[in-house]
Amino acid sequence: MTGGSCGEVVRSMLRSHCDGSQGDIEYVELFLDFENASPQDDERYLFDLCEKIIIQCTEVLSDVKCYGEGATNVIRESMQNHHDLALRDMAMSVVAEFVARIRCYFELSLRIEKLVPELLWDLCSGPLPPEEQLDRKQSLARQLARIIDFVLDFDAIKMCTPALQNDFSHYRRGIGLGLLENSAGDVELANSISLFLATPTPMLSSLSSATLEFVRSHPTLPIGNTTDTLATIVRYAIYDLMQFVHDKTSGDLH
């Protein structure tokens, strides 16, 4: 399997299981007890590392939910009064503050890309079949499920927040016009963030890239181990959510 086709398999698998197009999920065996899963001694380091990232995920998700229109209004006012240099500088200052937030989102995606292969190795490398391995490594499976949950939530918000890309485009325009102090490193970082935002689902792309890199780095490991592991975790997360909604609805009716 080529790198490109492998990547498509991973992305297709994630999307199909996350948007429900995979179909019926009632067959998922409830061997995962995420609520009570606790790490073994040999899992503690990776578990704690995940926990730190997940805390950052929670903070970023809260922040992006509040992003709203960003610097849209001040940018519009500045463009309508382009001869007002003070207003232009003020607008760039406001934009820079929002860009600092966007940079945090991007940097978190890099941390996720670095972390996911470590998780996948513990969850996919065996020696047990994927589902039995997940049963044995429930605490780490739970951490991966929480990261996937964040990825989907972030991307859903991003797609409804055009100000993210608009603000950053204005920021890059300011760099090009020499309105902001920057180094070659700043320009390179801006280009990377621009590519990140240009993707409709940037966090999912980061997750897919991390998974693809894991597969490429372990050519002797069957790709089915990786895709089956991810699919099982996502299916279980969806099933668990459906059960929660069902229980809550039943409780409200009574």
Side-chain angles (χ1 to χ4, degrees), residues 94-183:
V94 172
V95 168
E97 293 177 4
F98 280 102
V99 166
R101 294 167 64 176
I102 294 172
R103 178 174 177 172
C104 289
Y105 309 159
F106 171 71
E107 290 175 342
L108 178 58
S109 76
L110 297 182
R111 296 188 192 103
I112 290 174
E113 279 195 43
K114 184 177 180 180
L115 176 65
V116 166
E118 296 185 51
L119 272 173
L120 289 177
W121 174 252
D122 267 38
L123 295 173
C124 304
S125 60
L128 300 173
E131 291 190 354
E132 292 181 40
Q133 186 75 0
L134 285 177
D135 188 22
R136 182 181 177 185
K137 301 273 188 177
Q138 290 196 29
S139 66
L140 296 182
R142 176 175 181 264
Q143 298 297 63
L144 181 55
R146 293 169 72 190
I147 290 172
I148 292 174
D149 188 52
F150 160 75
V151 163
L152 301 178
D153 285 345
F154 180 93
D155 285 350
I157 296 169
K158 188 267 182 185
M159 287 190 287
C160 298
T161 313
L164 287 165
Q165 201 161 351
N166 294 338
D167 288 353
F168 201 79
S169 294
H170 192 78
Y171 174 78
R172 290 188 74 199
R173 191 178 303 117
I175 291 178
L177 294 174
L179 303 179
L180 295 166
E181 293 184 6
N182 61 86
S183 63

Side-chain angles (χ1 to χ4, degrees), residues 201-241:
T201 53
M203 289 294 178
L204 181 59
S205 293
S206 293
L207 179 60
S208 298
S209 295
T211 306
L212 178 56
E213 180 58 31
F214 171 78
V215 171
R216 285 173 172 165
S217 300
H218 302 89
T220 60
L221 187 66
I223 188 174
N225 283 25
T226 304
T227 55
D228 287 352
T229 295
L230 286 171
T232 300
I233 290 175
V234 172
R235 287 201 306 266
Y236 182 83
I238 295 173
Y239 182 88
D240 196 46
L241 176 61

Side-chain angles (χ1 to χ4, degrees), residues 83-103:
H83 294 301
D84 189 334
L85 300 185
L87 181 59
R88 181 199 66 185
D89 292 342
M90 186 270 288
M92 289 307 306
S93 177
V94 172
V95 168
E97 293 177 4
F98 280 102
V99 166
R101 294 167 64 176
I102 294 172
R103 178 174 177 172

